[in-house]
Amino acid sequence: MQKDPSRIKVVVATDCGSTTTKAILIECVDGVYRQTHRAEAPTTVEAPFADVTLGVTNSVTELQELSGRRLVNDDGTILRRDSPEATEGCDLYISTSSAGGGLQMMVAGVVKEMTAESAKRAALGAGAIVMDTIASNDRRRPHEQVQRIRELRPDMVLISGGTDGGDTKKVTELAELIAPAKPRPRFGGEYSLPIIFAGNRDARPAIERTFAGGGFDLKIVDNLRPTLEREHLGPARETIHDVFLEHVMAHAPGYDQLISWADAPIMPTPGAVGDILQAIAKGRGINVVGVDIGGATTDVFSVFDGSFNRTVSANLGMSYSISNVCAEAGMESVLRWVHLDMDERELRNRVKNKMIRPTTIPQTHEALVFEQAVSREALRLAYVQHKAFATELKGVQQQRTVGDAFSQEEGGRSLVSGMKLDLLVASGGVLSHAPRMEQTASMLIDAFEPEGFTELAKDSIFMMPHLGVLATVHERAAMDVFERDCLVMLGTCIAPAGTPVAGKPVMRWSARWDGGSAEGTLMAQEMKLLRIGERALVEVVPERGFDVGAGPGVAVKREVRGGSVGLILDGRGRSLSVPDGAEGRRLVAAWAKALELHPD
Amino acid sequence: MVLGADASFLNPDKLLLLVVLAATCACIVASMIAARAGSVPKIRRIAGLEAVEEAVGRATEMGRPILFVPGIQDMDNPMTVAGITVLSRVAGTAAQYDATLDVPVSRSLVMQAARESVQAAALQAGQPDWYDPERIRYITDEQFGYAAYAAGAMARDKPAACFYMGCFFAESLILAENGNAIGAIQIAGTAETAQLPFFVASCDYTLIGEEFFAASAYLSGAPDQLGTLRGQDIAKAVIALALVAGVFMATIRVFSPEQASEPTVEATQ
């Protein structure tokens, strides 16, 4: 039953990860919701415990000890307040989960770039990992597709294809590949594999016939591409969440109990992160990019003009996938970010050492510089993949005028734009636990190359999943905590877009803040850091050919947010290029010095 | 007095043309040799050709046919030949996607060339059974009879993608407007300058003049063909420069003192 938001004053939220269950306590203090305590305990979903609730109880017990507020009953369940005056228990308990590999899905569609891509977008947006995408034009022969389907062990399958009133033959053929292949679900034979059909409504009878009696649990929802001009992902995403709860979670050890404890549906962790970013983007009317870099994968989330996209770069990470990052980016690309005397052989040795001992963290200054260089490339590659995925719909009729004769742009343009980006949020070990905030800001700028004015922030304890679920129950509480406790503001980056010429100015600038002011000219390839405190009033006059958001050469005057780092002026131009050899090393060292990345 | 004529292999008045032709050929051959040796020129992306897959994909998702119109001229027109080259690509993609492709033609020779091209494309795509010769059919040589048929077919079958690749005249707007009205993705290509504005305004993508002729090299990516393109471009650039220089020198000559004192043709008349 939905709780009355006005009666919610104390919230306990947990996020059950693969290794750690994190719990936070949110309390209403002087009318404002704040995150007051945080605790964690090992996740207990695997043997010998095989009960996720044990880890939840342990983490909430630690929370209870830290806060001095009783939150756990003697039987290990979460204690609820029985009256607003009670000083024990909580009003709301919510949880997310990515334990046991999270939600793993296979998607299928008729054309890879159209309905199959929409199906992938729906699955990723719901917080799933997409194991494979089957399409009629994926250049695999039917027997190869069947073989692949048999190899995978997904939690559920999403099938799309055909616009309403459109193709029925191809989408039925897809179903006819999947049904006889009988993909085995991850959670064993007793479990009927859920199939969600979100394709052409005319194909429903044929789909029902194909899956009848085959040990599948078929759910039919609205078409996610009713016309090629419109994408309608909501019903498919909601059904994925429902199936995740009813089938996947119910078959995971202890989750049936956890579901009964929670006051809101348990969500996949990435889905909850996506929800909070969408809520922030909508609430503040801004465009947001969020990134979570882990050991094996990197998740990138974006909300541009209200369109939400998420990608999982499965082979880009800082420990298990570090070798793949170096192979994909190339050693010279990694090495360009190293200002120390380090050759390729040494870099290879460090990569191999990290492969052998993936969970180690840097112990020396050189190791830290190396790891942050790799992270720049991992983030850059993940962002490139994200930009390629987060596009306008393909297969849509274009409207032209005679004026378009020499500028006919293709459909499917990327929605992600460095200039339109307002807020960049970082999370994940290498970003959150960098010894200096300046290093986090520098990694973000080098990898994402924001243009114009962009705020930089980090979610140091990865609280966004908790807040994503909280936003579904109590949006104001989620916003309060997000602004005050979740995000650590790093500062603002001002980066004129354009091609700099060595020795020539890029822009003139002036800034006024509480207790100080400064002005100057930013030269090509120069970086500058201003410690401006909370806020500053900045005026920027870009040179001809450079743009900070109002057009080439047009001045901009606006208030910017500072933070732990401050205001960063980036005169390196876009797109960013670092010269090879000694000159590049000298420049990178100069940037590191300007941003005070390694003051010791 | 008896008048006689002497046979001659060379017309000295047209010697310059021979030089230009030889230079152009040399340029093309040199570019081809360079391309074979590895110096393959890059061609900018041509949106109209890149969108072929998108258009065929749209037809597949919507379960509707693709209409390909290869112009209304015969095979002796280079635009028709270029159109058949693009047809080959469209047919290959349609065969892969198992989409329906309709090709009404207005010349019997074009029908034969189109059939062979589509059959070869289907074979290359590994879908020989997809090829259906009945879908490539002759309609009429009459310009407006043909246009009337194509417009009627659009209204009846509502193709999701329409391609107009070849030589077009007054029927261009009839076809493109009908295609636009039924909501099809439309890709046109022609070198008929008078028809280009109509196509640009009513189609999603238009291959303009040289882009259309470059389609063959662009789609094949073969070094020989790409080298030929570069050779042609170099020759054209040289000719353009010569034209500019000629105009400049002629202008100077008009304003030179000795020329200014000479009476003009009009004045003497």
Side-chain angles (χ1 to χ4, degrees), chain A residues 410, chain B residues 45-54 89 218:
Chain A
E410 288 170 58
Chain B
R45 283 174 73 86
I46 300 176
L49 294 174
E50 292 295 326
V52 167
E53 286 215 16
E54 195 179 343
R89 162 65 172 253
Y218 185 90

Side-chain angles (χ1 to χ4, degrees), chain A residues 115 162 169 395 398 400 408, chain B residues 54 58 61 97-98 184 204 206:
Chain A
T115 47
K169 184 172 163 244
Q398 311 280 324
R400 302 277 187 212
Q408 298 172 36
Chain B
E54 195 179 343
R58 179 181 172 89
E61 291 282 7
Y97 286 63
D98 195 17
D204 296 60
T206 308

Side-chain angles (χ1 to χ4, degrees), chain A residues 11-15 21-25 37-41 53-73 76-79 89-90 93-95 258 261:
Chain A
V11 180
V12 171
T14 55
D15 173 35
T21 298
K22 288 146 277 197
I24 60 168
L25 180 65
H37 295 89
R38 173 179 181 272
E40 60 184 48
T53 55
L54 294 175
V56 170
T57 305
N58 291 343
S59 64
V60 179
T61 304
E62 191 186 336
L63 201 61
Q64 167 179 285
E65 286 162 8
L66 290 168
S67 64
R69 181 187 189 97
R70 189 162 173 242
L71 295 167
V72 181
N73 285 316
T77 56
I78 308 292
L79 177 64
C90 64
Y93 169 65
I94 50 179
S95 187
L258 188 67
W261 289 2

